[in-house]
Amino acid sequence: MTEAAWIDCGSGVRLERSQRCRMSDSVELVSDHYYPPSTAGLALENGSIEKNPTLLMRQPYGRDIASTVVYAHPTWFARQGYNVVVQDVRGRGDSDGEFYPFRNEARDGAETIAWLRTRAESNGRIGMYGFSYQGMTQLLAAAEQPEGLQCIAPGMCATDLYHGWFYHNGALRLASALGWGLQMMKADARRKKLREASDRLEQAWANLPAQSSVLPFRSHPALHGEGLPQYVLDWFDHDHPGDYWSSLDVSRNLAKILIPALHVSGWYDTYLSGSIDGFLALRAGAGSDFARENQFLIAGPWKHIPWGDRVGSTDFGTEALLDTDAILLRWFNHWLKDSGEFSNEPRVRHFTLGENRWRSATDFRAKDHTSTRTFFLHGEARANSRKGNGTLNASAPANEPSDVFVYDPEVPVLAPGGPAAPSGPFDQATLELGNNVLVYTSEPLRDSLRVFGFPRVSLFCSSSAAHIDFTAKLVRVRPNGAASFLCIGIARSTHLFPDSIYTTGKVHRWQFSLEPTSCRFDAGDRIRLEIASSAFPLYDRNPGTNVPSCRATSWDWQRSTQMVHHDATYASFLQLPLSEATE
């Protein structure tokens, strides 16, 4: 390699572009390599090259982007003494082959690591970083146990794609799955030079909020066309967990992961449950005591992009501006340079909403909490909307009439952020005016209450439909009436109950978790639980019939009458996990 092949990035960092790595099936993947000032590709006096550890990121969005929407540019990490390699995954950017999300990342990642260790600048010690898809590439590579991979830092992803990325208790995360699918297929169409298909995809992308209302959404015109890949349709067709999903993730290979991981998540991220559940899964199921004991978690007040002190109009304060790059550097220095500087970091660092400060915890407890506060649902047959009489308190109900609402797929209850389903602590007060939402509110709290973990509901419900969803939303109500969204859960009857158990019109116990949170209710705040049968388009709407949601049109929709029971026999309740966090 000649000196002309190097690009000067300043401060002694140099870039070597478009390095090709041949996979075992002869497909070549392309990467950019950044070198620290101490190396910069220049030989030492004895003819050797100074060797350093390597940080690897593998992504499908173009290696020049390098996740710089949330991370420092690779040149920053190179200045800290690392070789930094950013690679286009198979079928993306300049890399050869066909792209099918997740399918080839395990082998390709492991073979890339093996190749990097042969290079003159490498000391054989590798770490991986990145978020979202780039987080998945780390987990999949780690399960291959490539020699030299010593730690990873997966952000905002999942070990279980079905439960943590695409579906939530049987309901499709429609807005994110369709939106991301359209984004990925735009690049596919351009790569294949499919001009008509590209134009359709670009038109859809230009008005993304409207795409969730195209019916049936599996037949969305932008998803079909000669030469276009089928993976988005596959996501819709595989609406139950099984071999399709486990072949793409690490849910059945947790014991093969033997290295430390720093998990990063956000309370308003699309893949929040996937991130937290992934941390918990590896804490319990990684393949060695060493790996299980060295899983760490950061949970901030963030959505997917960006990570900072604001989501929408909410200002979380200066503490939310956590220097995640500096934390990553300490993480990699600890494991790749033996610095020991991560030794005193907490197992779990979480941002408490409402308090707007960071707290630490010895762990993130799973869904069987030992310290909880239970709030029972009460009402006099008219908990509909926040104008109604639904309440929450610690006393079990006696003889109370049930609450009733009508679910209409044509007019679904909207997602917490409205028809575009953006993420954030949006005020729910307007959405709570509809009679298709049951609203249960506590009295003002006498003392503050700190919640940390997975809220759960146990609801005794019946429906006139054979196929139905129930949603539960936790809301913090301020003394001025502002109703701030915290977290949501959903369950679909076909997922929660076997066909032999679920019966139309019969009372069933719907038990499911909401997505996790960390929040403080102040004295004077009220706790609110909303019950509905949709949160569209965050989740796909249940047609109410046996037609799969992805193939349903308005001709397949069926209205239904839902009943939520709360009496001495059927005591429905909300259970909040209490924080045991330290300072």
Side-chain angles (χ1 to χ4, degrees):
M1 182 173 52
T2 65
E3 181 70 13
W6 297 86
I7 297 173
D8 186 354
C9 297
S11 303
V13 175
R14 294 194 182 187
L15 165 62
E16 184 182 15
R17 288 196 186 276
S18 304
Q19 296 301 290
R20 304 188 74 85
C21 171
R22 184 179 292 271
M23 301 289 101
S24 57
D25 62 354
S26 298
V27 166
E28 292 190 345
L29 306 184
V30 178
S31 52
D32 288 344
H33 295 229
Y34 299 82
Y35 299 99
S38 60
T39 302
L42 302 178
L44 301 176
E45 291 183 1
N46 62 5
S48 66
I49 288 182
E50 183 170 332
K51 298 177 182 295
N52 289 290
T54 300
L55 303 183
L56 170 64
M57 176 188 292
R58 306 186 63 251
Q59 70 162 23
Y61 303 109
R63 62 190 186 277
D64 54 328
I65 295 176
S67 291
T68 49
V69 289
V70 293
Y71 295 116
H73 193 273
T75 53
W76 184 84
F77 290 102
R79 284 199 297 272
Q80 316 307 317
Y82 289 94
N83 308 310
V84 185
V85 176
V86 185
Q87 184 182 70
D88 291 329
V89 301
R90 178 181 296 243
R92 309 295 283 187
D94 293 325
S95 290
D96 300 336
E98 291 291 321
F99 177 68
Y100 190 104
F102 316 109
R103 178 166 287 170
N104 299 292
E105 307 307 353
R107 182 186 64 183
D108 287 354
E111 293 184 2
T112 296
I113 289 167
W115 169 68
L116 289 174
R117 297 183 76 242
T118 68
R119 291 176 61 91
E121 72 277 1
S122 172
N123 68 0
R125 306 179 75 173
I126 311 290
M128 294 183 74
Y129 75 111
F131 83 118
S132 197
Y133 194 92
Q134 298 82 274
M136 292 298 302
T137 65
Q138 298 172 59
L139 293 165
L140 289 161
E144 297 294 298
Q145 301 179 6
E147 185 177 356
L149 181 61
Q150 298 189 353
C151 63
I152 56 177
M156 297 182 173
C157 57
T159 55
D160 185 325
L161 283 171
Y162 176 83
H163 294 99
W165 189 293
F166 288 96
Y167 288 85
H168 187 172
N169 287 335
L172 175 70
R173 291 179 168 92
L174 176 61
S176 61
L178 181 59
W180 186 55
L182 291 169
Q183 179 187 6
M184 293 291 97
M185 288 181 67
K186 282 198 306 169
D188 292 321
R190 289 195 297 269
R191 184 183 180 93
K192 296 173 181 290
K193 302 188 186 306
L194 303 173
R195 186 55 184 265
E196 290 184 7
S198 177
D199 289 345
R200 290 195 301 272
L201 287 157
E202 291 291 352
Q203 290 169 7
W205 185 255
N207 187 16
L208 191 57
Q211 307 316 308
S212 297
S213 295
V214 174
L215 295 171
F217 60 81
R218 191 191 184 282
S219 298
H220 193 299
L223 301 178
H224 296 264
E226 185 177 355
L228 285 177
Q230 299 293 302
Y231 52 79
V232 178
L233 305 182
D234 291 342
W235 302 339
F236 298 158
D237 290 341
H238 292 86
D239 58 354
H240 287 76
D243 292 342
Y244 170 78
W245 295 106
S246 60
S247 70
L248 300 176
D249 62 28
V250 297
S251 58
R252 297 181 183 175
N253 295 310
L254 296 172
K256 295 182 179 180
I257 296 179
L258 304 175
I259 59 175
L262 173 61
H263 305 258
V264 179
S265 61
W267 296 132
Y268 296 104
D269 177 46
T270 303
Y271 311 124
L272 167 60
S273 283
S275 294
I276 303 294
D277 285 341
F279 165 76
L280 291 170
L282 287 171
R283 281 282 289 148
S288 68
D289 289 340
F290 170 74
R292 290 188 292 272
E293 287 302 311
N294 285 290
Q295 302 296 313
F296 291 79
L297 173 68
I298 298 173
W302 309 314
K303 59 181 183 176
H304 204 58
I305 303 171
W307 306 350
D309 59 355
R310 284 171 171 78
V311 176
S313 60
T314 300
D315 184 350
F316 291 111
T318 56
E319 278 203 35
L321 295 170
L322 188 68
D323 191 342
T324 50
D325 292 320
I327 293 173
L328 273 180
L329 182 61
R330 293 200 299 273
W331 173 258
F332 289 125
N333 286 346
H334 181 92
W335 296 111
L336 301 180
K337 295 184 177 181
D338 302 319
S339 70
E341 59 194 278
F342 211 81
S343 299
N344 296 321
E345 291 287 335
R347 170 86 61 210
V348 174
R349 183 197 303 251
H350 63 100
F351 190 90
T352 302
L353 305 171
E355 193 174 38
N356 289 354
R357 59 169 295 188
W358 289 97
R359 288 186 172 271
S360 60
T362 56
D363 219 327
F364 196 109
R365 292 168 296 155
K367 298 169 185 178
D368 54 345
H369 300 284
T370 57
S371 180
T372 60
R373 181 77 62 85
T374 298
F375 294 86
F376 290 94
L377 279 60
H378 296 270
E380 296 297 328
R382 200 171 61 82
N384 309 79
S385 85
R386 61 183 170 88
K387 298 179 293 182
N389 55 24
T391 62
L392 294 173
N393 63 48
S395 301
N399 295 318
E400 296 180 2
S402 303
D403 290 309
V404 182
F405 69 96
V406 174
Y407 166 61
D408 184 354
E410 187 173 5
V411 190
V413 174
L414 294 177
S423 301
F426 296 102
D427 192 333
Q428 303 301 287
T430 299
L431 287 175
E432 292 167 350
L433 292 174
N435 280 347
N436 52 359
V437 181
L438 301 181
V439 178
Y440 301 91
T441 309
S442 73
E443 290 295 319
L445 296 175
R446 293 182 178 180
D447 302 299
S448 63
L449 182 70
R450 189 175 293 119
V451 175
F452 177 50
F454 292 85
R456 289 180 60 82
V457 291
S458 177
L459 306 174
F460 289 94
C461 307
S462 56
S463 173
S464 64
H467 300 270
I468 197 62
D469 299 343
F470 278 97
T471 65
K473 188 193 305 178
L474 180 63
V475 175
R476 178 190 183 214
V477 183
R478 302 291 289 147
N480 64 1
S484 179
F485 167 71
L486 291 170
C487 57
I488 191 171
I490 189 171
R492 183 154 290 176
S493 57
T494 51
H495 178 86
L496 206 59
F497 306 103
D499 292 339
S500 60
I501 293 179
Y502 184 79
T503 304
T504 302
K506 180 181 177 181
V507 177
H508 294 278
R509 188 177 188 178
W510 292 64
Q511 296 186 87
F512 57 93
S513 294
L514 283 64
E515 296 206 317
T517 189
S518 173
C519 63
R520 189 185 72 183
F521 291 87
D522 291 333
D525 287 348
R526 290 176 291 165
I527 296 167
R528 177 168 289 168
L529 177 69
E530 298 177 22
I531 305 296
S533 281
S534 60
F536 179 79
L538 177 64
Y539 306 114
D540 62 333
R541 52 185 140 197
N542 195 320
T545 61
N546 62 1
V547 178
S549 173
C550 67
R551 297 177 184 271
T553 70
S554 59
W555 289 80
D556 304 300
W557 289 342
Q558 178 179 305
R559 298 187 188 99
S560 55
T561 300
Q562 326 292 49
M563 300 185 72
V564 176
H565 307 273
H566 39 80
D567 55 34
T569 303
Y570 302 121
S572 298
F573 61 81
L574 163 70
Q575 191 174 70
L576 298 180
L578 302 185
S579 174
E580 295 177 355
T582 59
E583 292 301 316

